[in-house]
Amino acid sequence: TQLLEQSPQFLSIQEGENLTVYCNSSSVFSSLQWYRQEPGEGPVLLVTVVTGGEVKKLKRLTFQFGDARKDSSLHITAAQPGDTGLYLCAVKPFKTALIFGKGTTLSVSS
Amino acid sequence: EAGVAQSPRYKIIEKRQSVAFWCNPISGHATLYWYQQILGQGPKLLIQFQNNGVVDDSQLPKDRFSAERLKGVDSTLKIQPAKLEDSAVYLCASSFLSGTRAGELFFGEGSRLTVL
């Protein structure tokens, strides 16, 4: 079983649309990270959320950590082609390295 | 600052052959990771080093995979003999051991392996 479930798996939208992707788990975590991976590159950290209910904004990206610290969402406003990539959520259970979800592949066309 | 360096970027081999990947982490990063990323999936941890010691290799297929970080700096991941299912991108990452940025992983561009 996958520790982190990400949905949707694929998303194809037009430039200017809004979207939300989700990361869910049945376990509680002290923090959760979101990474973006562009084709041919390694993942790059976007944000770390640590407090239940926390909302963080990074330009047009809004990240929320669930109150129970089991889930998170990433909302993109007015998507642009440069937002295209694989969005990965990740957590670090006790005494293990970072574990990633399978990711959401986003394609934004102009 | 220089990022995580990996080589080669691409490698094509036949099954049962061997291959080695090299990684040079960011200077000052004590922790080094090797992840395997199969197409369409998230990265999966193979092994974690802290300085030159292994912290976690529970998911490393030890019958065919090996990794070392002899001087606590750069690292090599070897596969011998390769199987078709080893076709993947092998990502190296590094991080600080402690401090506010200890939880942030910095990844290299990856080494894409194709096994025919």
Side-chain angles (χ1 to χ4, degrees):
Chain A
T1 34
Q2 193 78 6
L3 183 64
L4 296 172
E5 296 289 343
Q6 290 194 243
S7 61
Q9 189 175 357
F10 300 99
L11 194 53
S12 181
I13 61 172
Q14 295 289 318
E15 182 176 4
E17 292 184 28
N18 301 332
L19 67 115
T20 302
V21 298
Y22 301 92
C23 176
N24 296 294
S25 176
S26 57
S27 301
V28 177
F29 300 104
S30 58
S31 66
L32 184 145
Q33 296 181 332
W34 285 93
Y35 287 76
R36 178 169 68 207
Q37 184 176 22
E38 297 183 16
E41 304 290 328
V44 175
L45 179 67
L46 295 173
V47 76
T48 302
V49 286
V50 297
T51 305
E54 180 178 6
V55 176
K56 279 191 173 179
K57 293 193 174 184
L58 185 65
K59 297 183 180 177
R60 293 176 294 100
L61 279 60
T62 302
F63 303 85
Q64 184 162 9
F65 201 15
D67 291 340
R69 290 183 288 130
K70 291 183 178 182
D71 54 83
S72 182
S73 63
L74 159 58
H75 181 80
I76 301 179
T77 303
Q80 298 177 0
D83 296 326
T84 293
L86 176 66
Y87 288 81
L88 296 158
C89 63
V91 293
K92 188 182 180 309
F94 183 63
K95 286 193 174 180
T96 71
L98 211 58
I99 294 175
F100 289 85
K102 289 190 174 183
T104 292
T105 298
L106 172 64
S107 175
V108 183
S109 52
S110 56
Chain B
E1 91 191 338
V4 176
Q6 289 191 245
S7 67
R9 287 294 312 274
Y10 305 93
K11 189 74 177 179
I12 300 174
I13 61 173
E14 301 207 341
K15 59 183 179 183
R16 291 188 290 274
Q17 287 187 326
S18 63
V19 63
F21 303 112
W22 174 83
C23 171
N24 191 30
I26 291 173
S27 177
H29 282 191
T31 309
L32 184 149
Y33 313 80
W34 284 102
Y35 281 84
Q36 179 193 58
Q37 186 175 26
I38 293 173
L39 187 64
Q41 297 185 20
K44 172 190 158 187
L45 179 72
L46 292 175
I47 189 166
Q48 176 186 353
F49 292 95
Q50 187 170 297
N51 296 309
N52 60 349
V54 175
V55 174
D56 183 357
D57 64 355
S58 58
Q59 298 189 78
L60 187 73
K62 296 180 186 64
D63 57 334
R64 298 182 301 104
F65 286 65
S66 64
E68 59 184 15
R69 193 185 183 199
L70 293 176
K71 296 183 179 178
V73 180
D74 57 349
S75 175
T76 303
L77 175 70
K78 296 180 181 177
I79 308 174
Q80 181 180 16
K83 292 185 174 181
L84 296 177
E85 59 260 36
D86 298 332
S87 293
V89 175
Y90 291 86
L91 292 164
C92 179
S94 66
S95 69
F96 288 108
L97 180 59
S98 60
T100 56
R101 302 189 75 180
E104 178 178 358
L105 267 59
F106 293 81
F107 284 86
E109 293 179 316
S111 294
R112 180 178 295 276
L113 173 66
T114 301
V115 182
L116 303 175

